[in-house]
Amino acid sequence: MYFKRIEDLRQDNDMTQQQVADLLHCQREVYRRYEKGIREIPVSYAIILARHYDVTVDYLLGVSDKKN
């Protein structure tokens, strides 16, 4: 499943894929696959990213348009 906001939030926060991968303790290529929808992002990673970007998991995954 492809979640456009994962990439958008990373870019809006001037972060590289490597920086986000380091935050998640995974390899950059694994994170890239999450951004491109090749691999489904684990719930635990979605929670970490939502907290990091100060948005809800629903917003991060495109379920809602409300950031908080």
Short mmCIF file of all heavy atoms in Angstrom, two decimals:
data_model
loop_
_atom_site.label_atom_id
_atom_site.label_comp_id
_atom_site.label_asym_id
_atom_site.label_seq_id
_atom_site.Cartn_x
_atom_site.Cartn_y
_atom_site.Cartn_z
N MET A 1 0.85 -1.18 0.00
CA MET A 1 0.00 0.00 0.00
C MET A 1 0.90 1.25 0.00
O MET A 1 1.90 1.30 0.70
CB MET A 1 -0.90 -0.04 1.23
CG MET A 1 -2.03 0.92 1.19
SD MET A 1 -3.24 0.46 2.44
CE MET A 1 -4.69 0.93 1.58
N TYR A 2 0.54 2.22 -0.78
CA TYR A 2 1.34 3.42 -0.95
C TYR A 2 0.78 4.56 -0.10
O TYR A 2 -0.39 4.89 -0.20
CB TYR A 2 1.34 3.81 -2.43
CG TYR A 2 2.07 5.08 -2.74
CD1 TYR A 2 3.44 5.17 -2.57
CD2 TYR A 2 1.39 6.19 -3.22
CE1 TYR A 2 4.11 6.34 -2.86
CE2 TYR A 2 2.05 7.36 -3.53
CZ TYR A 2 3.42 7.43 -3.35
OH TYR A 2 4.08 8.58 -3.64
N PHE A 3 1.63 5.11 0.75
CA PHE A 3 1.24 6.21 1.62
C PHE A 3 2.07 7.44 1.27
O PHE A 3 3.19 7.59 1.75
CB PHE A 3 1.41 5.85 3.10
CG PHE A 3 0.60 4.65 3.52
CD1 PHE A 3 1.22 3.48 3.88
CD2 PHE A 3 -0.78 4.72 3.55
CE1 PHE A 3 0.48 2.37 4.27
CE2 PHE A 3 -1.53 3.62 3.94
CZ PHE A 3 -0.90 2.44 4.29
N LYS A 4 1.54 8.31 0.43
CA LYS A 4 2.25 9.49 -0.07
C LYS A 4 2.74 10.40 1.05
O LYS A 4 3.79 11.02 0.94
CB LYS A 4 1.32 10.25 -1.03
CG LYS A 4 1.88 11.55 -1.55
CD LYS A 4 2.88 11.32 -2.65
CE LYS A 4 3.24 12.63 -3.32
NZ LYS A 4 4.67 12.88 -3.29
N ARG A 5 2.00 10.50 2.12
CA ARG A 5 2.36 11.44 3.19
C ARG A 5 3.66 11.07 3.89
O ARG A 5 4.32 11.94 4.45
CB ARG A 5 1.23 11.56 4.20
CG ARG A 5 0.07 12.33 3.61
CD ARG A 5 -0.96 12.67 4.64
NE ARG A 5 -2.01 13.46 4.02
CZ ARG A 5 -3.25 13.48 4.44
NH1 ARG A 5 -3.60 12.78 5.49
NH2 ARG A 5 -4.15 14.22 3.83
N ILE A 6 4.04 9.81 3.88
CA ILE A 6 5.31 9.42 4.51
C ILE A 6 6.46 10.15 3.81
O ILE A 6 7.33 10.72 4.47
CB ILE A 6 5.49 7.89 4.46
CG1 ILE A 6 4.44 7.21 5.33
CG2 ILE A 6 6.90 7.50 4.89
CD1 ILE A 6 4.42 5.72 5.20
N GLU A 7 6.44 10.15 2.50
CA GLU A 7 7.47 10.86 1.74
C GLU A 7 7.31 12.37 1.87
O GLU A 7 8.30 13.09 2.08
CB GLU A 7 7.40 10.46 0.27
CG GLU A 7 8.46 11.11 -0.59
CD GLU A 7 8.41 10.66 -2.04
OE1 GLU A 7 7.50 9.89 -2.41
OE2 GLU A 7 9.29 11.07 -2.79
N ASP A 8 6.10 12.86 1.78
CA ASP A 8 5.85 14.31 1.87
C ASP A 8 6.32 14.88 3.20
O ASP A 8 6.97 15.93 3.24
CB ASP A 8 4.37 14.63 1.66
CG ASP A 8 3.90 14.39 0.25
OD1 ASP A 8 4.75 14.27 -0.67
OD2 ASP A 8 2.67 14.30 0.05
N LEU A 9 5.99 14.21 4.29
CA LEU A 9 6.40 14.69 5.61
C LEU A 9 7.92 14.68 5.76
O LEU A 9 8.50 15.60 6.34
CB LEU A 9 5.74 13.86 6.71
CG LEU A 9 4.26 14.15 6.94
CD1 LEU A 9 3.63 13.05 7.79
CD2 LEU A 9 4.08 15.50 7.60
N ARG A 10 8.55 13.66 5.24
CA ARG A 10 10.02 13.60 5.28
C ARG A 10 10.62 14.79 4.55
O ARG A 10 11.50 15.49 5.08
CB ARG A 10 10.54 12.29 4.67
CG ARG A 10 12.08 12.24 4.60
CD ARG A 10 12.58 11.00 3.93
NE ARG A 10 12.16 10.85 2.56
CZ ARG A 10 12.71 11.48 1.51
NH1 ARG A 10 13.69 12.34 1.69
NH2 ARG A 10 12.27 11.26 0.29
N GLN A 11 10.13 15.06 3.35
CA GLN A 11 10.65 16.18 2.57
C GLN A 11 10.33 17.52 3.21
O GLN A 11 11.18 18.41 3.24
CB GLN A 11 10.11 16.12 1.14
CG GLN A 11 10.65 14.94 0.37
CD GLN A 11 10.00 14.78 -0.99
OE1 GLN A 11 8.93 15.33 -1.26
NE2 GLN A 11 10.64 14.00 -1.85
N ASP A 12 9.13 17.66 3.74
CA ASP A 12 8.73 18.91 4.41
C ASP A 12 9.61 19.21 5.63
O ASP A 12 9.77 20.36 6.02
CB ASP A 12 7.26 18.86 4.85
CG ASP A 12 6.30 18.91 3.68
OD1 ASP A 12 6.73 19.22 2.55
OD2 ASP A 12 5.10 18.61 3.91
N ASN A 13 10.15 18.16 6.22
CA ASN A 13 11.01 18.31 7.39
C ASN A 13 12.50 18.27 7.03
O ASN A 13 13.35 18.12 7.91
CB ASN A 13 10.68 17.23 8.43
CG ASN A 13 9.40 17.54 9.17
OD1 ASN A 13 9.42 18.22 10.18
ND2 ASN A 13 8.28 17.07 8.64
N ASP A 14 12.78 18.40 5.73
CA ASP A 14 14.17 18.44 5.23
C ASP A 14 15.01 17.27 5.74
O ASP A 14 16.15 17.45 6.18
CB ASP A 14 14.83 19.77 5.60
CG ASP A 14 14.15 20.96 4.95
OD1 ASP A 14 13.71 20.84 3.79
OD2 ASP A 14 14.04 22.01 5.61
N MET A 15 14.43 16.09 5.68
CA MET A 15 15.15 14.89 6.11
C MET A 15 15.45 14.01 4.91
O MET A 15 14.68 13.98 3.94
CB MET A 15 14.32 14.10 7.13
CG MET A 15 14.09 14.83 8.44
SD MET A 15 13.15 13.83 9.62
CE MET A 15 14.42 12.66 10.12
N THR A 16 16.54 13.31 4.99
CA THR A 16 16.89 12.34 3.95
C THR A 16 16.27 10.99 4.31
O THR A 16 15.88 10.76 5.46
CB THR A 16 18.41 12.17 3.83
OG1 THR A 16 18.91 11.59 5.05
CG2 THR A 16 19.11 13.50 3.55
N GLN A 17 16.22 10.12 3.32
CA GLN A 17 15.73 8.77 3.61
C GLN A 17 16.63 8.10 4.65
O GLN A 17 16.16 7.37 5.50
CB GLN A 17 15.68 7.94 2.34
CG GLN A 17 14.56 8.32 1.41
CD GLN A 17 14.52 7.44 0.16
OE1 GLN A 17 15.50 6.80 -0.20
NE2 GLN A 17 13.37 7.42 -0.48
N GLN A 18 17.93 8.37 4.58
CA GLN A 18 18.86 7.77 5.54
C GLN A 18 18.58 8.24 6.96
O GLN A 18 18.62 7.45 7.90
CB GLN A 18 20.31 8.10 5.16
CG GLN A 18 21.32 7.39 6.05
CD GLN A 18 21.22 5.87 5.96
OE1 GLN A 18 21.33 5.31 4.88
NE2 GLN A 18 21.00 5.20 7.09
N GLN A 19 18.27 9.51 7.12
CA GLN A 19 17.96 10.03 8.45
C GLN A 19 16.72 9.37 9.04
O GLN A 19 16.69 9.04 10.23
CB GLN A 19 17.79 11.55 8.41
CG GLN A 19 19.09 12.30 8.18
CD GLN A 19 18.85 13.77 7.94
OE1 GLN A 19 17.95 14.16 7.19
NE2 GLN A 19 19.69 14.61 8.55
N VAL A 20 15.70 9.18 8.21
CA VAL A 20 14.49 8.53 8.70
C VAL A 20 14.76 7.06 8.98
O VAL A 20 14.31 6.51 9.98
CB VAL A 20 13.32 8.71 7.70
CG1 VAL A 20 12.08 7.97 8.19
CG2 VAL A 20 13.01 10.18 7.50
N ALA A 21 15.53 6.42 8.11
CA ALA A 21 15.89 5.02 8.34
C ALA A 21 16.65 4.88 9.67
O ALA A 21 16.40 3.94 10.43
CB ALA A 21 16.74 4.50 7.19
N ASP A 22 17.54 5.82 9.96
CA ASP A 22 18.27 5.79 11.24
C ASP A 22 17.30 5.94 12.41
O ASP A 22 17.44 5.27 13.43
CB ASP A 22 19.33 6.90 11.28
CG ASP A 22 20.49 6.65 10.33
OD1 ASP A 22 20.64 5.51 9.83
OD2 ASP A 22 21.24 7.62 10.06
N LEU A 23 16.31 6.82 12.26
CA LEU A 23 15.30 7.01 13.30
C LEU A 23 14.54 5.71 13.57
O LEU A 23 14.22 5.38 14.71
CB LEU A 23 14.32 8.11 12.87
CG LEU A 23 13.12 8.38 13.76
CD1 LEU A 23 13.55 9.04 15.07
CD2 LEU A 23 12.12 9.27 13.04
N LEU A 24 14.27 4.97 12.50
CA LEU A 24 13.51 3.72 12.60
C LEU A 24 14.40 2.51 12.88
O LEU A 24 13.90 1.40 13.06
CB LEU A 24 12.71 3.48 11.32
CG LEU A 24 11.68 4.54 10.96
CD1 LEU A 24 11.04 4.22 9.61
CD2 LEU A 24 10.62 4.66 12.04
N HIS A 25 15.71 2.72 12.86
CA HIS A 25 16.68 1.64 13.05
C HIS A 25 16.52 0.56 11.98
O HIS A 25 16.42 -0.64 12.28
CB HIS A 25 16.57 1.02 14.45
CG HIS A 25 16.76 2.02 15.54
ND1 HIS A 25 17.97 2.61 15.84
CD2 HIS A 25 15.87 2.56 16.41
CE1 HIS A 25 17.83 3.45 16.83
NE2 HIS A 25 16.55 3.46 17.19
N CYS A 26 16.43 1.03 10.73
CA CYS A 26 16.35 0.10 9.61
C CYS A 26 17.28 0.59 8.50
O CYS A 26 17.83 1.68 8.58
CB CYS A 26 14.92 -0.05 9.10
SG CYS A 26 14.22 1.39 8.27
N GLN A 27 17.45 -0.20 7.48
CA GLN A 27 18.29 0.20 6.35
C GLN A 27 17.54 1.19 5.46
O GLN A 27 16.31 1.15 5.38
CB GLN A 27 18.69 -1.02 5.53
CG GLN A 27 19.57 -1.98 6.28
CD GLN A 27 19.93 -3.19 5.46
OE1 GLN A 27 19.36 -3.43 4.38
NE2 GLN A 27 20.88 -3.97 5.93
N ARG A 28 18.30 2.06 4.79
CA ARG A 28 17.70 3.07 3.92
C ARG A 28 16.85 2.42 2.83
O ARG A 28 15.76 2.88 2.51
CB ARG A 28 18.76 3.97 3.28
CG ARG A 28 18.12 5.14 2.50
CD ARG A 28 19.09 5.78 1.52
NE ARG A 28 19.53 4.86 0.49
CZ ARG A 28 18.80 4.52 -0.59
NH1 ARG A 28 17.58 4.99 -0.77
NH2 ARG A 28 19.28 3.68 -1.48
N GLU A 29 17.33 1.34 2.27
CA GLU A 29 16.58 0.66 1.20
C GLU A 29 15.24 0.13 1.70
O GLU A 29 14.24 0.18 0.98
CB GLU A 29 17.42 -0.48 0.61
CG GLU A 29 16.75 -1.23 -0.51
CD GLU A 29 16.37 -0.38 -1.72
OE1 GLU A 29 16.96 0.70 -1.94
OE2 GLU A 29 15.46 -0.80 -2.48
N VAL A 30 15.21 -0.36 2.91
CA VAL A 30 13.95 -0.83 3.50
C VAL A 30 12.99 0.34 3.64
O VAL A 30 11.82 0.23 3.27
CB VAL A 30 14.20 -1.51 4.87
CG1 VAL A 30 12.89 -1.82 5.58
CG2 VAL A 30 15.04 -2.77 4.69
N TYR A 31 13.48 1.47 4.16
CA TYR A 31 12.62 2.65 4.30
C TYR A 31 12.14 3.14 2.93
O TYR A 31 10.98 3.50 2.78
CB TYR A 31 13.33 3.78 5.04
CG TYR A 31 12.48 5.01 5.07
CD1 TYR A 31 11.36 5.07 5.89
CD2 TYR A 31 12.72 6.07 4.20
CE1 TYR A 31 10.51 6.16 5.87
CE2 TYR A 31 11.88 7.17 4.17
CZ TYR A 31 10.78 7.21 5.01
OH TYR A 31 9.94 8.28 4.96
N ARG A 32 13.02 3.14 1.94
CA ARG A 32 12.64 3.57 0.59
C ARG A 32 11.46 2.74 0.08
O ARG A 32 10.53 3.26 -0.54
CB ARG A 32 13.82 3.45 -0.38
CG ARG A 32 13.52 3.99 -1.77
CD ARG A 32 14.61 3.62 -2.77
NE ARG A 32 14.57 2.20 -3.10
CZ ARG A 32 13.70 1.64 -3.95
NH1 ARG A 32 12.79 2.37 -4.56
NH2 ARG A 32 13.74 0.35 -4.21
N ARG A 33 11.49 1.47 0.38
CA ARG A 33 10.39 0.58 -0.05
C ARG A 33 9.08 0.92 0.64
O ARG A 33 8.02 0.76 0.06
CB ARG A 33 10.78 -0.87 0.18
CG ARG A 33 11.87 -1.32 -0.76
CD ARG A 33 12.31 -2.72 -0.49
NE ARG A 33 13.42 -3.07 -1.38
CZ ARG A 33 14.14 -4.15 -1.25
NH1 ARG A 33 13.90 -5.01 -0.27
NH2 ARG A 33 15.13 -4.39 -2.09
N TYR A 34 9.15 1.39 1.87
CA TYR A 34 7.93 1.86 2.56
C TYR A 34 7.38 3.09 1.84
O TYR A 34 6.18 3.18 1.60
CB TYR A 34 8.20 2.23 4.02
CG TYR A 34 8.68 1.09 4.89
CD1 TYR A 34 9.59 1.33 5.91
CD2 TYR A 34 8.22 -0.21 4.73
CE1 TYR A 34 10.03 0.31 6.74
CE2 TYR A 34 8.66 -1.24 5.54
CZ TYR A 34 9.57 -0.97 6.55
OH TYR A 34 10.00 -1.98 7.36
N GLU A 35 8.26 4.03 1.51
CA GLU A 35 7.82 5.26 0.84
C GLU A 35 7.18 4.97 -0.51
O GLU A 35 6.22 5.61 -0.89
CB GLU A 35 9.02 6.20 0.61
CG GLU A 35 9.31 7.11 1.76
CD GLU A 35 10.24 8.25 1.38
OE1 GLU A 35 10.61 8.42 0.19
OE2 GLU A 35 10.62 8.99 2.30
N LYS A 36 7.74 4.03 -1.22
CA LYS A 36 7.25 3.72 -2.57
C LYS A 36 6.10 2.72 -2.59
O LYS A 36 5.56 2.42 -3.65
CB LYS A 36 8.40 3.21 -3.45
CG LYS A 36 9.53 4.21 -3.59
CD LYS A 36 9.04 5.53 -4.13
CE LYS A 36 10.12 6.58 -4.14
NZ LYS A 36 9.61 7.92 -4.35
N GLY A 37 5.74 2.20 -1.43
CA GLY A 37 4.63 1.25 -1.37
C GLY A 37 4.98 -0.16 -1.78
O GLY A 37 4.10 -0.99 -1.98
N ILE A 38 6.28 -0.44 -1.87
CA ILE A 38 6.72 -1.79 -2.23
C ILE A 38 6.57 -2.72 -1.03
O ILE A 38 6.24 -3.90 -1.18
CB ILE A 38 8.18 -1.75 -2.72
CG1 ILE A 38 8.27 -0.89 -3.98
CG2 ILE A 38 8.72 -3.15 -2.97
CD1 ILE A 38 9.67 -0.53 -4.40
N ARG A 39 6.82 -2.18 0.16
CA ARG A 39 6.63 -2.92 1.41
C ARG A 39 5.65 -2.15 2.27
O ARG A 39 5.63 -0.92 2.26
CB ARG A 39 7.95 -3.04 2.18
CG ARG A 39 8.95 -3.97 1.53
CD ARG A 39 10.18 -4.10 2.37
NE ARG A 39 9.88 -4.84 3.60
CZ ARG A 39 10.81 -5.30 4.41
NH1 ARG A 39 12.08 -5.10 4.16
NH2 ARG A 39 10.47 -5.97 5.50
N GLU A 40 4.86 -2.86 3.03
CA GLU A 40 3.91 -2.20 3.93
C GLU A 40 4.63 -1.82 5.21
O GLU A 40 5.37 -2.62 5.80
CB GLU A 40 2.74 -3.13 4.23
CG GLU A 40 1.59 -2.39 4.84
CD GLU A 40 0.29 -3.12 4.65
OE1 GLU A 40 0.04 -3.62 3.55
OE2 GLU A 40 -0.47 -3.18 5.63
N ILE A 41 4.41 -0.58 5.65
CA ILE A 41 5.10 -0.09 6.83
C ILE A 41 4.51 -0.72 8.09
O ILE A 41 3.28 -0.77 8.24
CB ILE A 41 5.06 1.45 6.89
CG1 ILE A 41 5.98 1.98 7.99
CG2 ILE A 41 3.66 1.98 7.03
CD1 ILE A 41 6.29 3.45 7.87
N PRO A 42 5.36 -1.22 8.99
CA PRO A 42 4.86 -1.79 10.23
C PRO A 42 4.18 -0.72 11.10
O PRO A 42 4.57 0.45 11.07
CB PRO A 42 6.11 -2.33 10.93
CG PRO A 42 7.12 -2.46 9.85
CD PRO A 42 6.80 -1.39 8.85
N VAL A 43 3.20 -1.13 11.87
CA VAL A 43 2.48 -0.21 12.74
C VAL A 43 3.44 0.49 13.69
O VAL A 43 3.32 1.70 13.93
CB VAL A 43 1.37 -0.96 13.52
CG1 VAL A 43 0.74 -0.06 14.57
CG2 VAL A 43 0.33 -1.51 12.58
N SER A 44 4.40 -0.23 14.23
CA SER A 44 5.33 0.38 15.18
C SER A 44 6.12 1.51 14.52
O SER A 44 6.38 2.54 15.15
CB SER A 44 6.29 -0.66 15.76
OG SER A 44 7.04 -1.29 14.74
N TYR A 45 6.48 1.36 13.26
CA TYR A 45 7.20 2.41 12.54
C TYR A 45 6.28 3.59 12.26
O TYR A 45 6.71 4.75 12.33
CB TYR A 45 7.78 1.88 11.24
CG TYR A 45 9.01 1.01 11.38
CD1 TYR A 45 9.53 0.67 12.62
CD2 TYR A 45 9.65 0.51 10.26
CE1 TYR A 45 10.65 -0.13 12.74
CE2 TYR A 45 10.79 -0.28 10.37
CZ TYR A 45 11.27 -0.60 11.62
OH TYR A 45 12.41 -1.38 11.72
N ALA A 46 5.04 3.31 11.92
CA ALA A 46 4.08 4.39 11.67
C ALA A 46 3.89 5.23 12.93
O ALA A 46 3.80 6.47 12.86
CB ALA A 46 2.75 3.82 11.19
N ILE A 47 3.85 4.58 14.07
CA ILE A 47 3.70 5.31 15.34
C ILE A 47 4.92 6.18 15.59
O ILE A 47 4.79 7.35 15.97
CB ILE A 47 3.45 4.33 16.50
CG1 ILE A 47 2.08 3.66 16.34
CG2 ILE A 47 3.57 5.03 17.85
CD1 ILE A 47 1.86 2.49 17.28
N ILE A 48 6.11 5.64 15.38
CA ILE A 48 7.34 6.42 15.58
C ILE A 48 7.34 7.64 14.66
O ILE A 48 7.66 8.76 15.09
CB ILE A 48 8.59 5.55 15.32
CG1 ILE A 48 8.73 4.50 16.42
CG2 ILE A 48 9.85 6.41 15.24
CD1 ILE A 48 9.76 3.41 16.12
N LEU A 49 6.98 7.46 13.40
CA LEU A 49 6.97 8.57 12.45
C LEU A 49 5.92 9.61 12.81
O LEU A 49 6.17 10.81 12.73
CB LEU A 49 6.75 8.06 11.02
CG LEU A 49 7.90 7.26 10.42
CD1 LEU A 49 7.52 6.75 9.04
CD2 LEU A 49 9.18 8.07 10.37
N ALA A 50 4.75 9.16 13.21
CA ALA A 50 3.68 10.09 13.59
C ALA A 50 4.12 10.94 14.78
O ALA A 50 3.91 12.16 14.78
CB ALA A 50 2.40 9.32 13.92
N ARG A 51 4.74 10.34 15.74
CA ARG A 51 5.24 11.09 16.90
C ARG A 51 6.34 12.05 16.48
O ARG A 51 6.38 13.20 16.94
CB ARG A 51 5.75 10.14 17.98
CG ARG A 51 4.64 9.42 18.70
CD ARG A 51 5.18 8.48 19.75
NE ARG A 51 4.09 7.84 20.47
CZ ARG A 51 4.23 6.75 21.19
NH1 ARG A 51 5.41 6.17 21.31
NH2 ARG A 51 3.18 6.23 21.81
N HIS A 52 7.23 11.59 15.64
CA HIS A 52 8.34 12.43 15.19
C HIS A 52 7.84 13.67 14.43
O HIS A 52 8.34 14.77 14.64
CB HIS A 52 9.30 11.63 14.31
CG HIS A 52 10.45 12.42 13.80
ND1 HIS A 52 11.53 12.76 14.59
CD2 HIS A 52 10.67 12.98 12.59
CE1 HIS A 52 12.37 13.49 13.88
NE2 HIS A 52 11.87 13.64 12.66
N TYR A 53 6.87 13.47 13.55
CA TYR A 53 6.35 14.58 12.74
C TYR A 53 5.21 15.32 13.43
O TYR A 53 4.66 16.27 12.87
CB TYR A 53 5.87 14.05 11.38
CG TYR A 53 6.96 13.47 10.52
CD1 TYR A 53 6.80 12.23 9.91
CD2 TYR A 53 8.14 14.16 10.28
CE1 TYR A 53 7.78 11.68 9.10
CE2 TYR A 53 9.13 13.63 9.47
CZ TYR A 53 8.95 12.39 8.88
OH TYR A 53 9.93 11.87 8.07
N ASP A 54 4.82 14.89 14.62
CA ASP A 54 3.74 15.50 15.41
C ASP A 54 2.42 15.51 14.63
O ASP A 54 1.76 16.54 14.50
CB ASP A 54 4.13 16.91 15.86
CG ASP A 54 3.21 17.44 16.95
OD1 ASP A 54 2.64 16.63 17.70
OD2 ASP A 54 3.02 18.67 17.02
N VAL A 55 2.07 14.35 14.10
CA VAL A 55 0.79 14.16 13.40
C VAL A 55 0.18 12.86 13.92
O VAL A 55 0.84 12.08 14.59
CB VAL A 55 0.97 14.08 11.86
CG1 VAL A 55 1.53 15.37 11.30
CG2 VAL A 55 1.85 12.90 11.45
N THR A 56 -1.08 12.64 13.60
CA THR A 56 -1.71 11.38 13.99
C THR A 56 -1.32 10.29 13.00
O THR A 56 -0.92 10.58 11.86
CB THR A 56 -3.25 11.50 14.01
OG1 THR A 56 -3.70 11.76 12.67
CG2 THR A 56 -3.71 12.60 14.95
N VAL A 57 -1.44 9.06 13.44
CA VAL A 57 -1.19 7.93 12.54
C VAL A 57 -2.20 7.96 11.39
O VAL A 57 -1.84 7.69 10.24
CB VAL A 57 -1.23 6.59 13.30
CG1 VAL A 57 -1.12 5.41 12.34
CG2 VAL A 57 -0.11 6.52 14.33
N ASP A 58 -3.44 8.33 11.69
CA ASP A 58 -4.45 8.43 10.63
C ASP A 58 -4.03 9.44 9.57
O ASP A 58 -4.20 9.20 8.38
CB ASP A 58 -5.81 8.85 11.22
CG ASP A 58 -6.53 7.71 11.91
OD1 ASP A 58 -6.05 6.55 11.82
OD2 ASP A 58 -7.57 7.97 12.54
N TYR A 59 -3.49 10.57 9.98
CA TYR A 59 -3.03 11.57 9.01
C TYR A 59 -1.85 11.01 8.22
O TYR A 59 -1.81 11.10 6.99
CB TYR A 59 -2.61 12.87 9.71
CG TYR A 59 -2.09 13.90 8.73
CD1 TYR A 59 -2.98 14.70 8.02
CD2 TYR A 59 -0.74 14.05 8.50
CE1 TYR A 59 -2.53 15.62 7.10
CE2 TYR A 59 -0.27 14.98 7.57
CZ TYR A 59 -1.16 15.76 6.89
OH TYR A 59 -0.71 16.67 5.95
N LEU A 60 -0.90 10.42 8.90
CA LEU A 60 0.29 9.86 8.26
C LEU A 60 -0.09 8.87 7.17
O LEU A 60 0.49 8.87 6.08
CB LEU A 60 1.17 9.18 9.31
CG LEU A 60 2.47 8.58 8.82
CD1 LEU A 60 3.51 9.66 8.64
CD2 LEU A 60 2.96 7.53 9.78
N LEU A 61 -1.11 8.06 7.44
CA LEU A 61 -1.51 7.01 6.50
C LEU A 61 -2.59 7.47 5.51
O LEU A 61 -3.03 6.69 4.69
CB LEU A 61 -1.97 5.78 7.26
CG LEU A 61 -0.93 5.16 8.21
CD1 LEU A 61 -1.53 3.96 8.92
CD2 LEU A 61 0.35 4.79 7.47
N GLY A 62 -3.00 8.73 5.61
CA GLY A 62 -3.97 9.26 4.66
C GLY A 62 -5.41 8.93 4.98
O GLY A 62 -6.30 9.15 4.15
N VAL A 63 -5.69 8.43 6.17
CA VAL A 63 -7.05 8.09 6.57
C VAL A 63 -7.83 9.37 6.90
O VAL A 63 -9.03 9.44 6.69
CB VAL A 63 -7.05 7.12 7.77
CG1 VAL A 63 -8.44 6.84 8.27
CG2 VAL A 63 -6.33 5.84 7.39
N SER A 64 -7.11 10.36 7.44
CA SER A 64 -7.73 11.61 7.86
C SER A 64 -6.89 12.78 7.35
O SER A 64 -5.70 12.64 7.10
CB SER A 64 -7.80 11.67 9.38
OG SER A 64 -8.19 12.94 9.82
N ASP A 65 -7.54 13.94 7.20
CA ASP A 65 -6.82 15.13 6.81
C ASP A 65 -6.49 16.02 8.01
O ASP A 65 -5.90 17.08 7.85
CB ASP A 65 -7.65 15.94 5.80
CG ASP A 65 -7.69 15.23 4.45
OD1 ASP A 65 -6.74 14.52 4.09
OD2 ASP A 65 -8.71 15.40 3.74
N LYS A 66 -6.85 15.57 9.21
CA LYS A 66 -6.55 16.31 10.44
C LYS A 66 -5.18 15.88 10.94
O LYS A 66 -4.96 14.70 11.22
CB LYS A 66 -7.59 16.05 11.52
CG LYS A 66 -8.96 16.59 11.18
CD LYS A 66 -9.92 16.34 12.33
CE LYS A 66 -11.30 16.87 11.99
NZ LYS A 66 -12.22 16.64 13.11
N LYS A 67 -4.26 16.85 11.06
CA LYS A 67 -2.90 16.51 11.49
C LYS A 67 -2.84 16.11 12.95
O LYS A 67 -2.05 15.26 13.34
CB LYS A 67 -1.96 17.70 11.26
CG LYS A 67 -1.60 17.90 9.82
CD LYS A 67 -0.53 18.96 9.68
CE LYS A 67 -0.09 19.05 8.24
NZ LYS A 67 1.02 19.98 8.06
N ASN A 68 -3.64 16.76 13.80
CA ASN A 68 -3.60 16.46 15.24
C ASN A 68 -4.96 16.03 15.74
O ASN A 68 -5.96 16.33 15.30
CB ASN A 68 -3.12 17.67 16.03
CG ASN A 68 -1.68 18.02 15.67
OD1 ASN A 68 -1.01 17.29 14.97
ND2 ASN A 68 -1.23 19.15 16.16
#
